[in-house]
């Protein structure tokens, strides 16, 4: 299976919950970095659905793969590791009394309508998927929590989007934040 995936130009990343396949969308380094951010975002939304107990493991796997593919395609020409804030609004996943179209498309693949998703997911969710960082906020006044953060590829103090907005230039530590039910 790995040989077949390699022939199709894909890489396999294993997490404790899902196996993600990703097509590189640029250089190998850019693709790998984007893969980690997308995997963090997809894993987070999938865990939210899983924690409801109303979506089967098979449905979650299809949803995860569909959302991963949709995000990779959507971000393909809007991923700028040397300027992490550039395109941030375009990459933002948003539910605010209107379902994000990428989440809605992935949910449709497993037979969930937007109305059903509104019952399963927070009514207000913002998920920022930027080079080197993925963060989220539930509710308009909720705290911003970091799901994934990595040092810039060249590790020369390049700004992440958050650091650029806050006026900091030192790279952040690499960590995953566990989100439990």
């Amino acid at each position: 299976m790995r040989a077949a995936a390699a022939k199709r130009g894909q890489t396999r990343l294993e997490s404790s919950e899902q196996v993600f396949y990703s097509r590189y969308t640029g250089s190998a380094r850019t693709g790998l970095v984007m893969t980690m951010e997308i995997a963090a975002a997809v894993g987070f939304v999938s865990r939210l659905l899983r924690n409801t107990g109303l979506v089967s493991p098979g449905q979650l796997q299809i949803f995860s793969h569909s959302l991963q593919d949709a995000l990779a395609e959507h971000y393909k020409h809007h991923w700028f590791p040397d300027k992490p804030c550039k395109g941030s609004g375009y990459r933002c996943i948003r539910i605010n009394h209107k379902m994000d179209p990428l989440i809605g498309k992935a949910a449709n693949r497993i037979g969930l309508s937007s109305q059903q998703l509104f019952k399963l997911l927070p009514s207000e969710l913002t998920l920022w998927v930027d080079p080197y960082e993925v963060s989220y906020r539930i509710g308009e006044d909720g705290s911003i929590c970091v799901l994934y953060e990595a040092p810039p590829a060249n590790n020369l103090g390049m700004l992440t989007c958050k650091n650029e907005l806050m006026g900091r230039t030192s790279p952040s530590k690499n960590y995953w934040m566990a989100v439990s039910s």
Side-chain angles (χ1 to χ4, degrees):
M1 183 159 168
R2 286 184 185 177
K7 287 181 183 177
R8 290 190 306 267
Q10 298 175 334
T11 185
R12 181 177 178 172
L13 298 175
E14 294 188 38
S15 74
S16 60
E17 298 183 35
Q18 299 289 335
V19 176
F20 295 98
Y21 291 90
S22 175
R23 295 173 192 86
Y24 286 121
T25 58
S27 71
R29 183 67 182 147
T30 302
L32 181 59
V33 172
M34 186 166 114
T35 299
M36 296 302 292
E37 285 88 339
I38 289 174
V42 169
F44 176 71
V45 176
S46 296
R47 280 189 302 276
L48 290 174
L49 287 175
R50 184 195 69 208
N51 289 343
T52 67
L54 300 173
V55 181
S56 74
Q59 287 177 306
L60 279 173
Q61 186 175 24
I62 293 168
F63 173 84
S64 296
H65 287 290
S66 180
L67 184 58
Q68 189 270 337
D69 288 344
L71 292 176
E73 181 63 28
H74 189 67
Y75 297 164
K76 185 170 26 179
H77 301 294
H78 299 274
W79 195 259
F80 308 99
D82 53 340
K83 297 178 184 175
C85 279
K86 184 176 179 181
S88 183
Y90 182 83
R91 294 185 305 268
C92 181
I93 297 170
R94 185 91 167 106
I95 300 171
N96 187 9
H97 309 293
K98 182 180 175 190
M99 185 53 59
D100 183 273
L102 297 173
I103 292 177
K105 179 181 173 184
N108 283 337
R109 295 235 16 239
I110 61 169
L112 291 177
S113 68
S114 290
Q115 292 78 18
Q116 291 170 311
L117 275 177
F118 280 122
K119 293 177 183 176
L120 300 174
L121 295 173
S123 60
E124 293 183 353
L125 170 69
T126 306
L127 185 61
W128 294 276
V129 184
D130 295 315
Y132 315 112
E133 183 174 292
V134 178
S135 53
Y136 74 95
R137 179 183 68 207
I138 295 176
E140 285 300 310
D141 299 320
S143 298
I144 296 173
C145 300
V146 177
L147 291 169
Y148 170 81
E149 195 168 17
N154 67 10
N155 217 8
L156 298 175
M158 184 189 314
L159 297 175
T160 64
C161 191
K162 177 179 72 179
N163 289 343
E164 186 175 326
L165 293 173
M166 298 178 83
R168 292 184 285 185
T169 60
S170 61
S172 301
K173 295 179 182 174
N174 183 14
Y175 66 89
W176 282 84
M177 177 179 169
V179 179
S180 62
S181 56

